[in-house]
Amino acid sequence: MTMTRNPGAAGPAAAAELLARAREVAPLLREHSARIEEARRLPQDVVDLLRDAGVFRMAFGPELGGPALTTMEQTQVVETLAHGDASAAWCAVMGASGGIFSAFLDERVAKEVFPTPDTIMAGLLQPTGRAERVPGGFRLSGRWSFGSGITHCDWVTSGAFVYEDGAPYASPNGSNPHESKQFLVPRAQVEVIDNWHTMGMRGTGSCDYTMDGVFVPEEHTYSFGKVRGRPGPLAQPDAFTRSMCGVALGVARAALDHAREIARTRVDRMTGVAWKDHFRTQVTLAECEADFLATRNGVYSSQRRQWEVLAAGGTLDDLTPEERAASPIAWVHAFRTSRSIVGRLFDLLQTWSIHQSSPMERWMRDTTTMCQHATAQDRILQSAGAYLLGSKPEFGICLGIVK
């Protein structure tokens, strides 16, 4: 498989080094933001920049050559990248998910699929495809939407319902009347449909993609109900969603920094009063900063508690209901609060926000768009609320519940 990473670049071996590289890359991503948006995908040199920085390897364990960053460390990296460009940070989260999915594969297969921890993953987990059982594996067909990073990835993971002889296939243990699985396919066997024309997050290249009867060996399939590789805090069905809100937090931080910088130097043209001396400017910035700090703390405190329990050998069931619900509640709140912060700062800066030359214009579109993602929807809150009440979660995977 062709890899785009600079073969002379050594990957970071520890979280501190990877985070330092992300900080170096972020200003470069800001410089490339217009190109990224115009291309509606990450240009290849930007992909190479991220791969050389090592961000795609952050979730891989040492058995596959990765640094095994904690959820908190991964979120920090994502935040840092998003301070430069939201689309690049989003693609980093998605591309790095292979390190999490590898825990659900046999180690031999994982080493085959991921010969280097810089291998990039993309795809849609929802089972919108159809997989017909055949000798040795499956024939996979279907069309999947929102394949963030599909234009530059190495492997594609796709959810599909399983059929046998044309009929729905039931799990042998009777746990599921119509079984669904995840299927790993090399990117070269996938057809990408260039239909990513959106209001925001334009650079993610989240195009639809199709397959028609692609053969997938049995060993290249997995489900989140069975850990086959290294167990641990990342070998959990909710692990791939935990750090996504880092994109929203990074954008909100960038907007706060931008607004403060403008407020320090701007003078009201009608009154001659410096913006930094305006009551409205002071209160708005303070309110937004307070919301950011509280929201960010909620994300990291819930992540840390979850990680403590899992790293000590416990399970998600060892968390109290409040602790278990805290992580999805916090990440939804992070998406929505970040959008609110950007909106209030947009209004504060008034007409200086509306030009395409202003980063506020892009941040407004990006935060509005990312809040439409499944991880920022009411179904996540419903699931957490239902769990707290002992009722039925609609989207149990956000709580680590797999049917």
Side-chain angles (χ1 to χ4, degrees), residues 5-12 21 48-49 51-54 57 116 118:
R5 182 174 180 270
N6 179 354
R21 292 195 184 190
D48 293 343
L49 186 68
R51 202 185 309 243
D52 289 348
R57 62 172 52 203
T116 163
D118 298 307

Side-chain angles (χ1 to χ4, degrees), residues 138-157:
F138 304 84
R139 289 288 177 185
L140 180 63
S141 300
R143 176 167 176 162
W144 294 260
S145 300
F146 305 109
S148 298
I150 194 74
T151 57
H152 62 256
C153 70
D154 302 302
W155 282 84
V156 179
T157 186

Side-chain angles (χ1 to χ4, degrees), residues 247-324:
V247 181
L249 292 174
V251 171
R253 180 71 266 165
L256 279 161
D257 293 346
H258 175 73
R260 284 175 65 187
E261 187 62 30
I262 288 177
R264 286 192 183 103
T265 59
R266 186 155 290 160
V267 174
D268 191 303
R269 289 176 294 184
M270 300 191 66
T271 65
V273 177
W275 272 40
K276 66 181 181 180
D277 297 325
H278 269 217
F279 179 85
R280 176 173 177 260
T281 304
Q282 296 164 348
V283 170
T284 300
L285 284 174
E287 286 181 338
C288 289
E289 191 73 36
D291 285 351
F292 177 80
L293 292 174
T295 300
R296 188 175 187 272
N297 182 68
V299 167
Y300 282 97
S301 63
S302 63
Q303 290 178 349
R304 280 192 294 270
R305 177 55 185 156
Q306 186 182 58
W307 191 271
E308 287 171 0
V309 170
L310 296 175
T315 69
L316 292 173
D317 289 334
D318 293 316
L319 294 166
T320 68
E322 293 79 12
E323 290 171 338
R324 192 164 178 178

Side-chain angles (χ1 to χ4, degrees), residues 37-41 146 193-208 365 369:
E37 179 146 301
E38 182 179 0
R40 295 182 294 108
R41 63 188 65 190
F146 305 109
I193 299 171
D194 187 12
N195 65 342
W196 188 245
H197 300 273
T198 58
M199 180 182 79
M201 302 298 287
R202 292 177 180 172
T204 60
S206 303
C207 301
D208 287 13
R365 291 187 286 104
T369 299

Side-chain angles (χ1 to χ4, degrees), residues 324-402:
R324 192 164 178 178
S327 183
I329 288 173
W331 82 51
V332 172
H333 189 62
F335 278 113
R336 296 181 176 186
T337 302
S338 295
R339 176 174 61 177
S340 172
I341 288 171
V342 170
R344 282 177 280 166
L345 296 176
F346 191 98
D347 289 344
L348 175 67
L349 299 183
Q350 301 169 359
T351 53
W352 284 282
S353 295
I354 65 175
H355 293 280
Q356 291 185 350
S357 60
S358 167
M360 289 301 305
E361 186 265 348
R362 180 179 293 120
W363 291 328
M364 174 72 89
R365 291 187 286 104
D366 283 347
T367 52
T368 299
T369 299
M370 69 179 75
C371 279
Q372 311 316 310
H373 191 269
T375 53
Q377 295 300 302
D378 283 347
R379 66 188 303 192
I380 305 296
L381 297 180
Q382 181 278 331
S383 297
Y387 184 78
L388 290 170
L389 294 169
S391 187
K392 182 180 179 181
E394 179 181 333
F395 197 54
I397 197 169
C398 76
L399 295 157
I401 299 171
V402 178

Side-chain angles (χ1 to χ4, degrees), residues 76-110:
Q76 280 187 286
V77 170
V78 175
E79 269 193 284
T80 302
L81 296 173
H83 198 280
D85 184 81
S87 290
W90 191 268
C91 287
V93 175
M94 301 305 178
S97 63
I100 292 169
F101 301 151
S102 67
F104 301 94
L105 298 169
D106 288 334
E107 187 171 329
R108 175 189 63 81
V109 177

